[in-house]
Amino acid sequence: MSTGSGAASAPAPDHDDSLPEAPEAPRKTSMFASLRVRNYRLFFLGQVVSNIGTWMQRIAQDWLVLSLTGSSAAVGITTALQFLPMLLFGLYGGVLVDRLRKRPTLLVTQSAMALTALALAALTLTGHVQVWHVYVAAFAMGLATVVDNPARQSFVSELVGRDQLQNAVSLNSANFQSARLVGPAVAGLMITGVGTGWAFLANGLSFVAPLSCLLLMRARELHAVRRAPRGKGQLREGLHYVAGRPELVWTIVLVGFVGTFGFNFPVFLSAFADDVFDAGAGEYSLFNTLMAVGSLTGALLAARRGTARLRVLIAAALAFGALEIVAATAPELWLFALLMIPIGVFGMTVNVTANTSIQMSTDPAMRGRVMALYMMVFLGGSPVGAPIVGWVTDTYGARVGFAAGGAVAATAAAVIGLVLARVGNLRLSVGWHRGHPQVRFVPRERREELAPAA
């Protein structure tokens, strides 16, 4: 693994037919290659259990707030409070992660999140819960996430090494989305059967699995990464590092727009279930489950790919935004529910492609800070976007709110695609290939060479 300045690892433009790319990994790989690594296998298994609990809590938390207040804006505020710490302190969390050993750091953050879930469970099960309790719990979870998220993201490279990073990142996403298939379904049954408090309790207990697996890992088998020493100006150093690399800057800007306005599903889906289709917690869980089917498919497809191409990122973001607009107009519940599957596919393609591209383009000594910036923008945008889309949804209706989120995501993808094409000195080429229409970016020089002589 390189521990130098990172200049050598910055992606260069692909002079054939693509936007500036991340460094290429092997093009063909086994879908589950990284699971051959014992430490990563333990990490993966622990996250399976914990992620199921996390999804149960997400569903229960959103439904509890909606039940207590009857307001989509209140659901948006809860989401905002959960991600506000990332927006405020995310960069400082990245500096800490670059200085600290990842495994002990994760033991602390995972324990803190377990205690928060158990406290909320106790309040709910005893009948004393109020909406401000949920707000406080969401904010506390967010504080732990400030360090936990960049630590988990950058720890993956220490588990599997650079060669299998693309595969491991994709399998992490598949892991999360597999849990999304189980968690919402169990949460829906639990909420209607015994109440939301038991879902919070299950999440708190689920952290036993990742904590145990972290303790069982073999430290000698981790891929050593040089940690950043204590020093002044490290936050500024990380920002300068990103600012000097257009492929990092524009990727982060794109996921910022998509995450802030397009990924506010707790607001959108709860409003569609409650207001548009006059349904309940079961249908809300169904929407999340079907989206998880699509997300899992997108993650597994990403695990098969050997490269993280920015043209794939742009195309997926465009499709994601367009599908949200289409779903916003769906007249029937069954059609809306089915559209959650392709939305999940393209949403996960955006997530995995951006994550992998950034990690593979970043020097390991800077990875904590860069991933913290990425997660701060992707997740930290929710404190800005969730109240806005919640207000739009309450004021103009769920259909307008969902369509507006999709329109912002699609517009951002189109504009940033054009910017990256200009940065890479590319032009749009429309033609035919083997009897099929083909639209792609090609270098300007190639277009000039192909032009007929005067």
Side-chain angles (χ1 to χ4, degrees):
M1 248 183 221
S2 169
T3 55
S5 65
S9 66
D14 184 337
H15 292 294
D16 291 329
D17 61 354
S18 64
L19 297 174
E21 305 295 356
E24 294 204 3
R27 290 184 176 277
K28 293 182 179 179
T29 184
S30 167
M31 185 176 289
F32 304 103
S34 52
L35 287 176
R36 300 190 187 107
V37 180
R38 179 183 181 274
N39 281 344
Y40 179 73
R41 191 161 59 247
L42 284 169
F43 179 81
F44 185 91
L45 291 173
Q47 290 301 305
V48 166
V49 178
S50 181
N51 285 336
I52 290 173
T54 297
W55 275 112
M56 291 176 65
Q57 172 143 337
R58 284 192 179 189
I59 300 301
Q61 176 179 280
D62 297 339
W63 201 256
L64 176 60
V65 171
L66 195 63
S67 301
L68 291 172
T69 66
S71 170
S72 294
V75 177
I77 290 171
T78 308
T79 303
L81 286 170
Q82 188 157 338
F83 296 120
L84 181 61
M86 181 65 73
L87 182 63
L88 297 177
F89 312 116
L91 291 176
Y92 296 99
V95 172
L96 284 174
V97 167
D98 278 338
R99 292 177 181 175
L100 300 172
R101 290 188 298 157
K102 307 299 186 298
R103 187 164 62 141
T105 301
L106 289 171
L107 286 169
V108 173
T109 58
Q110 297 276 298
S111 298
M113 289 190 283
L115 291 174
T116 302
L118 291 173
L120 187 57
L123 286 168
T124 308
L125 289 172
T126 57
H128 294 97
V129 69
Q130 299 179 35
V131 70
W132 71 267
H133 292 143
V134 186
Y135 289 164
V136 170
F139 188 78
M141 281 284 191
L143 283 175
T145 302
V146 166
V147 176
D148 184 80
N149 242 321
R152 276 190 298 108
Q153 297 287 338
S154 54
F155 189 46
V156 174
S157 64
E158 295 187 26
L159 292 169
V160 301
R162 179 181 176 82
D163 290 345
Q164 297 192 59
L165 181 59
Q166 161 90 5
N167 182 260
V169 169
S170 300
L171 287 182
N172 278 353
S173 298
N175 183 329
F176 191 65
Q177 299 307 323
S178 297
R180 191 175 181 179
L181 291 172
V182 179
V186 175
L189 293 173
M190 196 169 285
I191 291 168
T192 56
V194 293
T196 56
W198 293 99
F200 298 139
L201 179 62
N203 181 45
L205 296 176
S206 74
F207 283 96
V208 171
L211 289 170
S212 300
C213 289
L214 285 167
L215 292 171
L216 289 171
M217 289 180 184
R218 296 170 182 164
R220 65 181 181 275
E221 295 179 6
L222 296 174
H223 293 254
V225 173
R226 178 173 60 87
R227 299 199 306 274
R230 286 182 173 272
K232 295 182 178 180
Q234 290 179 323
L235 178 57
R236 185 169 58 253
E237 180 186 11
L239 293 174
H240 286 167
Y241 179 88
V242 173
R245 289 161 175 77
E247 73 283 351
L248 295 180
V249 171
W250 291 109
T251 298
I252 291 172
V253 169
L254 176 57
V255 298
F257 276 104
V258 174
T260 299
F261 298 101
F263 269 77
N264 278 290
F265 295 114
V267 177
F268 297 139
L269 300 188
S270 61
F272 265 83
D274 191 46
D275 299 332
V276 177
F277 299 119
D278 194 24
E283 286 74 11
Y284 177 52
S285 296
L286 173 65
F287 296 157
N288 282 277
T289 300
L290 290 175
M291 185 175 291
V293 171
S295 298
L296 176 60
T297 302
L300 292 176
L301 290 173
R304 297 281 298 184
R305 287 197 298 270
T307 57
R309 294 185 176 275
L310 294 183
R311 65 182 180 187
V312 174
L313 173 63
I314 298 297
L318 274 168
F320 174 78
L323 282 166
E324 286 198 337
I325 296 171
V326 173
T329 66
E332 302 291 341
L333 187 150
W334 67 267
L335 179 58
F336 180 84
L338 286 178
L339 284 169
M340 294 302 102
I341 297 175
I343 287 175
V345 170
F346 288 107
M348 183 50 56
T349 301
V350 170
N351 192 344
V352 171
T353 305
N355 188 314
T356 307
S357 174
I358 288 174
Q359 289 211 52
M360 295 185 71
S361 302
T362 303
D363 185 274
M366 286 282 186
R367 192 166 285 147
R369 279 164 282 183
V370 175
M371 290 308 297
L373 178 61
Y374 166 74
M375 298 307 296
M376 184 190 77
V377 172
F378 185 54
L379 298 179
S382 291
V384 177
I388 294 174
V389 299
W391 175 81
V392 171
T393 299
D394 278 344
T395 305
Y396 300 102
R399 294 188 185 278
V400 173
F402 202 14
V408 171
T411 301
V415 171
I416 292 171
L418 293 173
V419 169
L420 286 172
R422 183 173 293 276
V423 169
N425 197 31
L426 304 174
R427 295 179 63 180
L428 187 66
S429 172
V430 181
W432 290 84
H433 180 69
R434 296 181 179 177
H436 299 285
Q438 184 179 63
V439 180
R440 61 177 183 166
F441 286 102
V442 299
R444 292 177 184 273
E445 293 77 11
R446 177 182 295 181
R447 290 290 298 270
E448 293 169 0
E449 291 170 4
L450 295 176

